[in-house]
């Protein structure tokens, strides 16, 4: 029997199905990080998801890492997001905002000329997506201990603004080589103070950020995304199994809404390591199909399943799964595009 379309509790939210829309950057905000009317339509079209997680949103201007991404720092941004949450709620949906601080994988041209910040001054390999195209990453500036407290406070304020904008909760982006994972991972963190060295010290920043988000939203409206060994944005860790086991042990007992683990080709079964350590809803993502998702649920390996590109291309994904309809194919050329409707809000739903 299908479990995909049965209800599940995700913290304070009761989702009518177990299909979660993955956080996906779509790069359609304006130069000031304000989402447009197209974004209102895009999320409202996908409100039949059990839960929507938004694209990564920068908590503060220094967290921006890609051209045309949205923020939650200014009152204009808050007002625009409010239209998104109202539209999703009007369609009967639930929506969390993902907070994404890019840290070292940004570029001065996205930061008003400022140097990107990081736990250590180690330049990542690869290129940033800037207003003038792709350019090599620069060497970031190491945050002082006092500045770290400031960044934690930026996440706290962003969480307050997300709740003010009507979000049902917030997700900390702890994956994909962005700032929290830069602190967590031994390859990008060579600090010798309380934020570097031992795994407990490397996890400190992420856990402080999470505590700040919980203080604003309540634990049952806070989730976190992790992607062990994704090794994206030139992130490496010397002992990832130890790192993630320690981290998730610290996440237990806090009453968090969920732990979202997306795996991309790791040889080791991190779900077997992490799921038993966590006590809230466990969300699994990364390359799922209807069949593989159904199997995960049937075997009790996940409480809910996260779909990215399939949700991007199929606004009515739960209904398509219910009736066994064919899926629209995602168009990679329009994943990240200047503020255009094409490949954003023009994927068709099934005929009524
Ligand atoms: C266009 C696109 C943008 C993405 N942007 C983000 C993002 O902002 N934050 C994030 O955590 N993951 C991001 N991801 C990763 C997805 O959340 C998800 O983990 C990934 O797509 C795997 O799921 P899938 O195989 O079902 O697509 C993005 C993926 C895609 C396709």
């Amino acid at each position: 029997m299908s479990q995909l379309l049965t209800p599940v509790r995700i913290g304070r939210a009761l989702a009518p199905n177990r299909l979660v829309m993955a956080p996906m950057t779509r790069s359609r905000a304006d130069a000031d990080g304000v989402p447009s009317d197209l974004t209102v339509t895009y999320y409202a079209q996908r409100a039949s998801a059990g839960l929507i997680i938004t694209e990564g949103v920068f908590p503060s201007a220094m967290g921006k890492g890609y051209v045309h991404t949205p923020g939650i720092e200014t009152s204009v941004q808050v007002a625009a997001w409010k239209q998104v949450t109202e539209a999703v709620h009007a369609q009967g949906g639930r929506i969390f905002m993902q907070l994404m601080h890019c840290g070292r994988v940004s570029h001065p041209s996205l930061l008003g000329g400022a140097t990107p910040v990081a736990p250590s001054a180690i330049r990542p390999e690869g290129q940033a997506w800037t207003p003038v195209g792709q350019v090599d990453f620069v060497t970031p500036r190491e945050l002082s201990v006092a500045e770290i407290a400031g960044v934690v406070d930026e996440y706290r304020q962003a969480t307050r603004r997300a709740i003010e904008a009507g979000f049902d909760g917030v997700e900390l982006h702890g994956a994909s080589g962005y700032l929290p994972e830069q602190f967590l991972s031994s390859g990008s963190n060579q600090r010798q103070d309380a934020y570097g060295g031992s795994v407990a010290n490397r996890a400190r920043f992420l856990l402080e950020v999470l505590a700040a988000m919980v203080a604003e939203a309540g634990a049952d409206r806070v989730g976190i995304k992790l992607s062990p060994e994704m090794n994206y944005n030139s992130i490496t860790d010397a002992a990832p199994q130890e790192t993630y086991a320690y981290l998730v042990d610290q996440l237990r007992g806090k009453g968090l809404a969920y732990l979202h683990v997306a795996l991309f080709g790791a040889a080791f079964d991190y779900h077997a390591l992490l799921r038993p350590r966590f006590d809230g809803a466990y969300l699994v993502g990364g390359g799922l199909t209807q069949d593989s998702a159904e199997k995960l649920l049937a075997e009790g390996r996940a409480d809910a399943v996260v779909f990215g590109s399939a949700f991007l291309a199929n606004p009515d994904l739960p209904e398509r799964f219910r009736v066994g309809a064919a899926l629209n194919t995602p168009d990679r050329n329009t994943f990240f595009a200047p503020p255009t409707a094409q490949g954003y809000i023009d994927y068709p739903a099934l005929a009524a």
Side-chain angles (χ1 to χ4, degrees), residues 75-159:
S75 55
V76 182
Q77 292 162 355
V78 171
W81 281 117
K82 198 162 194 180
Q83 295 191 29
V84 171
T85 62
E86 283 172 357
V88 169
H89 291 152
Q91 296 295 320
R94 291 136 304 280
I95 182 166
F96 274 41
M97 172 178 278
Q98 186 186 60
L99 296 181
M100 171 169 107
H101 191 307
C102 292
R104 69 177 187 167
V105 293
S106 183
H107 189 269
S109 63
L110 294 161
L111 304 174
T115 301
V117 294
S120 300
I122 301 169
R123 186 166 72 96
E125 283 171 27
Q127 294 191 314
W129 295 78
T130 78
V132 295
Q134 281 185 272
V135 293
D136 287 349
F137 289 131
V138 298
T139 302
R141 188 172 68 72
E142 176 178 318
L143 287 163
S144 71
V145 170
E147 287 176 317
I148 289 173
V151 177
V152 171
D153 196 60
E154 288 170 3
Y155 276 99
R156 188 186 60 73
Q157 292 183 46
T159 300

Side-chain angles (χ1 to χ4, degrees), residues 184 186 199 202 229 236-245 270:
L184 188 64
S186 59
V199 60
R202 283 182 280 117
E229 285 191 58
T236 57
D237 188 64
Q241 295 172 28
E242 188 190 314
T243 297
Y244 284 93
Y270 279 93

Side-chain angles (χ1 to χ4, degrees), residues 172 203 206-208 210-211 214 219 222-226 244-261 274 277-280 282:
L172 174 59
L206 190 158
L207 293 170
E208 287 183 357
L210 209 55
V214 164
V222 176
I224 177 170
K225 181 179 185 187
L226 302 173
Y244 284 93
Y246 172 85
L247 177 63
V248 176
D249 280 342
Q250 307 309 306
L251 300 179
R252 186 173 55 242
K254 294 189 192 304
L256 293 174
Y258 66 82
L259 170 59
H260 168 192
V261 178
L274 302 181
R277 296 185 134 78
F278 188 65
D279 51 0
Y282 190 79

Side-chain angles (χ1 to χ4, degrees), residues 17-36:
N17 63 62
R18 293 168 191 255
L19 278 162
V20 175
M21 177 175 161
M24 284 178 287
T25 292
R26 304 305 313 276
S27 297
R28 282 165 168 89
D30 73 10
D32 296 323
V34 180
S36 76

Side-chain angles (χ1 to χ4, degrees), residues 22-25 56 98 100 173 225 262 264 286-287 307-309 312 335-336:
M24 284 178 287
T25 292
Q98 186 186 60
M100 171 169 107
H173 196 344
K225 181 179 185 187
F264 301 92
F307 284 83
S309 42
L312 181 158
F335 275 5
F336 316 102

Side-chain angles (χ1 to χ4, degrees), residues 288-326:
L288 299 182
T289 63
Q290 181 173 2
D291 285 348
S292 66
E294 202 73 84
K295 190 159 180 278
L296 281 168
L297 294 171
E299 291 172 353
R301 287 164 58 83
D303 296 303
V305 285
V306 187
F307 284 83
S309 42
F311 243 123
L312 181 158
N314 295 274
D316 53 351
L317 191 63
E319 177 63 7
R320 285 176 192 251
F321 282 172
R322 191 182 69 80
V323 302

